Amino acid sequence: MASVRLAFALLLFGLGTTAASGQTSSPDGPKSVPDTVLRRVTTAFIDGNAQLLLSPAADRVEVSLFGTRTFYSSAQAFYVLREFFDTHTPSSFALSDATGAGRSCFVRGRLDHAHGERTLQVYVRLVQRSDVWQLHEVRIDADVE
């Protein structure tokens, strides 16, 4: 099962990097969203791994689940996201878009889960501090198709 997930993640990663390759940002930031960020976000959502998504995270992380927005410490955000993944066990994740802007990057995707009738829209914002991309925001909403 793990090898199937890894193969699926690599496939999604390949599709995601193609989508992000032509994007540019300001002169002081990245030319596009780094591959490591795309792999991290994609793998975290495929595996339902809150720890990977939050490694590393800012001191305060904004988590918005179905319209309810709250700021948490990174430790609290771990428990909130772990519970979300326990309740909404991922069955697939597809990267939709990735954009770099200055020292921030934004990743958007679609999450299918085992107990859901609707696909979920996922938005993730990371900010670069030195050479590290810290998670600052996760937003998950029902897809409006």
Side-chain angles (χ1 to χ4, degrees):
M1 183 70 170
S3 62
V4 172
R5 281 189 171 178
L6 178 60
F8 187 66
L10 292 175
L11 173 66
L12 288 177
F13 172 70
L15 294 174
T17 55
T18 302
S21 63
Q23 297 160 356
T24 60
S25 65
S26 66
D28 64 338
K31 297 277 186 240
S32 65
V33 178
D35 293 345
T36 55
V37 169
L38 296 174
R39 276 194 305 269
R40 173 179 155 196
V41 171
T42 300
T43 302
F45 277 99
I46 287 172
D47 293 343
N49 187 335
Q51 185 64 44
L52 177 61
L53 188 60
L54 289 159
S55 296
D59 292 337
R60 304 285 293 164
V61 178
E62 180 180 349
V63 178
S64 176
L65 301 175
F66 309 107
T68 302
R69 185 181 90 171
T70 307
F71 287 88
Y72 296 101
S73 69
S74 56
Q76 291 171 316
F78 167 76
Y79 290 107
V80 169
L81 291 170
R82 184 176 72 177
E83 182 177 330
F84 170 81
F85 286 131
D86 287 346
T87 307
H88 301 83
T89 306
S91 56
S92 68
F93 178 79
L95 191 64
S96 302
D97 186 32
T99 305
R103 294 204 171 270
S104 294
C105 66
F106 305 89
V107 178
R108 185 170 55 103
R110 295 172 54 110
L111 176 69
D112 290 313
H113 56 101
H115 304 292
E117 298 172 7
R118 299 186 90 178
T119 299
L120 302 176
Q121 278 289 337
V122 174
Y123 304 90
V124 178
R125 179 174 59 94
L126 297 100
V127 175
Q128 186 179 31
R129 300 281 186 238
S130 300
D131 291 336
V132 177
W133 287 92
Q134 294 180 333
L135 180 74
H136 276 249
E137 178 182 1
V138 176
R139 188 173 71 193
I140 301 172
D141 292 308
D143 193 5
V144 291
E145 296 183 272

